[in-house]
């Protein structure tokens, strides 16, 4: 494979050199990458520690802590935030027996940190496990050159040809960054993340991957781990990944994070009635949902570019201009799932999946 982009330092930081060291044996020691969500609610943070053996379960792993004053999660005078491991997956970057450890943040007094959106989401899902909520999340993202300003494949300071040839495209003149989409896909499968597919998007340099169906809290866990893996893959390639819902203003598609959703009753024969009931409930709380569906979503939900306007709820069969779409197959089968098209690419999947479950099922 060609050398990765590490332009400013030439060959000295090349991954060819790094791979010599990464193939060295760790003499039985296990490297564990503790991962958590930072103070913006969109940044993913991580740090590593060494263990003497592979943990049999997440319960075996110790709590850890970090300096919350450096992540906008604490004041300097009382800066400690506790990391509580909640899920272990194989580490696709170090390979071997090494692991990624997804964590929740807690205060020293044992209460959930205000930025810990997983704890309330897990509590909501625990209220009715028999309903078996499934989520399939479509994560769109936009790749930029290392300058953070030029989308991949775009001329510097200019614009490519208008949208049309790029969606689900092939060819060097249409598809930009497939190496990243594919590396991420494989890394996620290695880690056991339930990626169900990928595709190039409408705007050149924009891609999508889908995670699901996942059961309850598993959806947010897999989504956050998949976003972390994306950041690491992009770091390797010297490319910047943006989850901004409208990275380029104007006649260019924004980036969303559609959430496909079903409960057991919706998936069973005659479940269509339960689906319509759930969608009506979503409509009644439209603005409440919009408030937690991602920062800057108003720049994306304009009514153009396959979106519905942010201030008006709508739904329809096979309608990609509606807030909620019912797949044609769901109508035909009289059961299945529906798609909430409103969430932005930077939304918090813990917040959004739990909100949908709360509104449609628990309330
Ligand atoms: P779109 O046609 O909107 O582009 P995608 O194929 O990108 O849809 O994504 C659909 C997602 O919905 C996938 O992740 C898929 O696994 C998920 N999904 C399929 N069936 C269900 C279901 N019954 N409940 C929830 N999610 C589902
Ligand atoms: Mn899709
Ligand atoms: Mn899409
Ligand atoms: Mn789209
Ligand atoms: Mn979709």
């Amino acid at each position: 494979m060609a050398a990765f982009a590490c332009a400013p330092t030439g060959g000295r930081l090349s991954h060819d050199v790094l791979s010599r060291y990464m193939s060295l044996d760790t003499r039985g020691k296990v490297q564990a990458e503790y991962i958590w969500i930072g103070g913006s609610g969109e940044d993913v943070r991580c740090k590593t520690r060494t263990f003497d053996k592979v943990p049999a379960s997440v319960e075996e792993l110790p709590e850890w802590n970090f300096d919350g004053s450096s992540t906008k999660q604490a004041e300097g005078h009382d800066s400690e935030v506790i990391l509580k491991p909640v899920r272990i997956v194989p580490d696709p970057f170090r390979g071997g027996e090494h692991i990624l450890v997804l964590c929740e943040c807690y205060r020293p007094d044992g209460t959930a940190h205000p930025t810990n959106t997983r704890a309330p989401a897990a509590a909501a899902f625990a209220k009715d496990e028999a309903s078996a909520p499934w989520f399939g999340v479509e994560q769109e993202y936009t790749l930029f050159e290392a300058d953070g300003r030029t989308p991949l494949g775009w001329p510097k300071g200019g614009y490519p040809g208008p949208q049309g040839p790029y969606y689900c495209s092939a060819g060097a003149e249409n598809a930009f960054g497939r190496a990243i989409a594919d590396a991420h896909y494989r890394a996620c499968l290695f880690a056991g993340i339930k990626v169900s597919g990928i595709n190039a998007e409408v705007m050149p340099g924009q891609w999508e991957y889908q995670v699901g169906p996942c059961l309850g809290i598993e959806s947010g866990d897999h989504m956050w781990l998949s976003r972390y893996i994306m950041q690491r893959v992009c770091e390797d390639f010297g490319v910047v990944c943006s989850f901004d819902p409208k990275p380029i203003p104007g006649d260019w598609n924004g980036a969303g994070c559609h959430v496909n959703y079903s409960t057991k009753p919706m998936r069973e024969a005659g479940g269509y009635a339960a689906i319509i009931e759930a969608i009506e409930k979503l409509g009644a709380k439209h603005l409440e949902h919009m408030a937690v569906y991602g920062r800057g979503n108003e720049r994306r939900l304009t009514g153009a570019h396959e979106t519905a306007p942010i201030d008006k709820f709508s739904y329809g069969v096979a309608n990609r201009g509606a807030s909620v779409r019912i797949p044609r197959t769901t109508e035909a089968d009289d059961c299945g799932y529906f798609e909430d098209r409103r969430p932005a690419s930077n939304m918090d999947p813990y917040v959004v999946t739990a909100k949908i479950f709360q509104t449609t099922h628990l309330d």
Side-chain angles (χ1 to χ4, degrees):
M1 186 187 281
F4 293 106
C6 292
T9 43
R12 288 180 295 116
L13 278 177
S14 97
H15 287 231
D16 293 341
V17 178
L18 172 65
S19 64
R20 291 215 311 261
Y21 298 93
M22 295 308 285
S23 63
L24 292 173
D25 195 79
T26 57
R27 310 274 182 227
K29 302 285 189 191
V30 173
Q31 291 166 292
E33 194 74 45
Y34 276 48
I35 296 164
W36 70 96
I37 300 154
S40 77
E42 296 173 30
D43 53 321
V44 202
R45 306 279 176 141
C46 58
K47 60 175 185 168
T48 320
R49 63 189 291 182
T50 309
F51 291 114
D52 289 336
K53 62 178 174 64
V54 180
S57 71
V58 76
E59 287 76 29
E60 240 177 54
L61 286 178
E63 293 183 352
W64 203 10
N65 61 71
F66 65 93
D67 168 17
S69 70
S70 299
T71 61
K72 294 203 169 75
Q73 283 168 296
E75 303 292 333
H77 58 87
D78 182 15
S79 69
E80 203 162 289
V81 179
I82 311 298
L83 289 172
K84 186 177 150 229
V86 293
R87 191 180 288 270
I88 299 173
V89 300
D91 181 344
F93 302 102
R94 296 193 173 99
E97 298 293 309
H98 309 296
I99 52 176
L100 304 180
V101 181
L102 183 67
C103 298
E104 281 187 17
C105 293
Y106 282 83
R107 288 199 179 102
D109 68 4
T111 57
H113 193 273
T115 62
N116 177 351
T117 53
R118 187 185 188 276
F125 289 125
K127 284 183 186 158
D128 184 10
E129 286 181 351
S131 65
W134 288 5
F135 298 94
V137 183
E138 303 170 50
Q139 177 71 67
E140 294 182 340
Y141 58 97
T142 311
L143 299 173
F144 285 82
E145 303 283 354
D147 66 8
R149 278 205 286 272
T150 312
L152 233 54
W154 291 40
K156 270 218 162 35
Y159 293 90
Q163 294 184 160
Y166 311 113
Y167 171 72
C168 294
S169 63
E173 74 281 34
N174 294 323
F176 311 106
R178 188 187 305 278
I180 287 167
D182 246 341
H184 173 262
Y185 194 172
R186 188 63 66 91
C188 281
L189 292 179
F190 179 90
I193 304 299
K194 292 182 178 172
V195 174
S196 52
I198 64 168
N199 60 268
E201 269 303 334
V202 176
M203 183 185 121
Q206 197 170 89
W207 293 79
E208 169 182 314
Y209 62 87
Q210 302 97 31
V211 175
C214 290
L215 176 65
I217 198 69
E218 178 191 53
S219 176
D221 286 356
H222 281 217
M223 278 303 302
W224 275 113
L225 283 165
S226 75
R227 286 180 181 174
Y228 172 77
I229 291 170
M230 178 59 75
Q231 295 299 354
R232 289 289 306 275
V233 167
C234 285
E235 181 185 324
D236 277 351
F237 282 98
V239 160
V240 174
C241 177
S242 168
F243 292 111
D244 188 273
K246 189 80 176 184
I248 305 291
D251 202 12
W252 304 98
N253 272 36
C257 208
H258 302 164
V259 176
N260 299 271
Y261 168 67
S262 62
T263 57
K264 193 160 176 285
M266 296 178 197
R267 293 188 293 271
E268 286 170 351
Y272 198 71
I275 287 173
I276 297 299
E277 195 187 323
I279 295 173
E280 296 282 353
K281 284 181 176 176
L282 285 178
K285 291 198 168 163
H286 177 61
L287 293 180
E288 214 179 279
H289 278 250
M290 292 322 311
V292 298
Y293 272 20
R295 184 180 53 84
N297 209 7
E298 69 285 349
R299 290 183 279 119
R300 163 181 167 257
L301 294 182
T302 57
H305 304 109
E306 298 166 69
T307 69
I310 193 164
D311 56 356
K312 194 172 156 287
F313 183 85
S314 59
Y315 71 93
V317 175
N319 185 353
R320 285 185 157 77
S323 313
V324 167
R325 176 178 67 97
I326 301 170
R328 183 83 64 200
T329 51
T330 294
E331 189 191 41
D333 297 345
D334 200 32
C335 65
Y337 67 100
F338 67 86
E339 176 192 40
D340 189 341
R341 300 176 58 82
R342 298 171 293 171
S345 49
N346 59 359
M347 63 86 157
D348 181 339
Y350 291 136
V351 171
V352 170
T353 57
K355 184 80 180 164
I356 291 173
F357 186 61
Q358 181 73 44
T359 297
T360 64
H361 190 78
L362 295 178
D363 283 354

